[in-house]
Amino acid sequence: MPQLPIPTAVLPSIEGSRLGLAGRALLIPLVLLAAASLVLMAGNGDQWIADQLYRWQGSQWAFKDAWWTSHLIHKGGRNLTWFAALLVVLALIRSNMDLRWQPLRRPLAYLLISVALSTGIIALLKSWTHMDCPWDLERYGGLRPFIGLFEHRPVAWGHAACFPAGHAGSGYAWVALFYFMLQVRPQWRWPALGAALLTGMVFGLGQQLRGAHFASHDLWALAISWLVATTLYLWMFPLTASAFPSHAVSGNAGETA
């Protein structure tokens, strides 16, 4: 849908709403991330959760190669996210060819870039952090001792790439749907966000049950995806009434969320 112009008289108040959006969407998640990281990573919450899952499976990762975790959630989920990305690409192509789809061009470009950036950053960090998966650790039947995120890792122990969680991140990357819907169908923004969060949680839990990740690995994948989606949204979209569904400009701009 075309974006409506906003009278200059309401721009200062909208700018305040925009700053409020940035504060709520960036600052609050960062505070929650720091608190949860302290519990999970510094407070051994990761190990406690993994211990419960490991003991529940008979002190082994019984679901590591199970069909529903390995093939349905892991491989099937990966294919699902690739298919969703393909649909966005096709829609973006159509928006450049069909005038009726032209208003969707920028939101679709945003969605594609955000998902690509989120998954790309997570993949890059995985190659830098060199953290082991639970199934590689002595505590859970593996061969390596646990090495924390900021601890020195001996070269002889080889490469590790389990933090942040790549598979959960491929689901959480779609939290950008919240901002996509905020531009095109504001009333769908919360269901879209819920669907993305649920997808990431299912992907993440499936991998935790296999011994592939700790809970903090999923948490950081979500945090990265949300911060990328929010920052990119604030950068790509100008001041518009649709960007502030709770702001009372309907009488002036002629549109509400």
Side-chain angles (χ1 to χ4, degrees):
M1 63 181 65
Q3 297 176 349
L4 299 177
I6 301 176
T8 56
V10 303
L11 286 179
S13 59
I14 292 181
E15 177 63 20
S17 295
R18 189 172 184 80
L19 293 175
L21 171 65
R24 292 190 301 272
L26 291 174
L27 181 60
I28 293 175
L30 283 174
V31 172
L32 294 176
L33 172 64
S37 294
L38 283 174
V39 173
L40 293 175
M41 303 180 77
N44 295 322
D46 273 340
Q47 287 76 14
W48 186 86
I49 294 173
D51 286 350
Q52 311 313 307
L53 297 177
Y54 188 65
R55 280 199 288 266
W56 177 59
Q57 297 178 55
S59 295
Q60 61 178 324
W61 297 115
F63 298 137
K64 181 177 182 179
D65 298 312
W67 176 83
W68 64 280
T69 55
S70 178
H71 293 277
L72 179 61
I73 295 179
H74 191 216
K75 295 180 181 178
R78 181 178 58 197
N79 292 338
L80 176 64
T81 56
W82 277 108
F83 179 70
L86 177 61
L87 290 180
V88 176
V89 170
L90 293 176
L92 184 58
I93 292 174
R94 179 168 181 176
S95 71
N96 283 274
M97 302 173 63
D98 189 335
L99 290 178
R100 294 171 300 176
W101 283 54
Q102 188 173 359
L104 294 175
R105 184 185 305 167
R106 193 174 184 85
L108 286 168
Y110 158 79
L111 181 60
L112 186 63
I113 294 171
S114 183
V115 171
L117 272 178
S118 296
T119 53
I121 290 173
I122 289 171
L124 183 62
L125 288 175
K126 282 165 63 75
S127 68
W128 286 353
T129 54
H130 296 293
M131 290 195 71
D132 291 299
C133 305
W135 62 33
D136 293 321
L137 302 176
E138 295 171 341
R139 186 179 184 128
Y140 306 110
L143 302 175
R144 299 172 179 171
F146 175 78
I147 302 294
L149 179 60
F150 300 109
E151 297 177 2
H152 173 70
R153 180 184 182 85
V155 177
W157 288 353
H159 180 70
C162 287
F163 177 86
H167 190 52
S170 69
Y172 285 134
W174 293 92
V175 295
L177 281 169
F178 176 83
Y179 294 111
F180 171 80
M181 290 300 178
L182 194 57
Q183 289 298 125
V184 301
R185 290 291 186 274
Q187 67 273 23
W188 292 356
R189 66 192 186 281
W190 293 112
L193 178 61
L197 291 175
L198 179 61
T199 301
M201 290 175 62
V202 170
F203 287 2
L205 181 58
Q207 289 295 82
Q208 288 185 52
L209 287 170
R210 298 179 69 219
H213 289 291
F214 286 116
S216 65
H217 299 186
D218 296 350
L219 172 70
W220 275 84
L222 169 58
I224 292 167
S225 298
W226 180 253
L227 292 175
V228 167
T230 302
T231 303
L232 186 65
Y233 173 76
L234 293 172
W235 178 68
M236 283 190 65
F237 291 96
L239 296 176
T240 61
S242 60
F244 307 99
S246 62
H247 190 72
V249 297
S250 57
N252 296 311
E255 181 178 347
T256 63

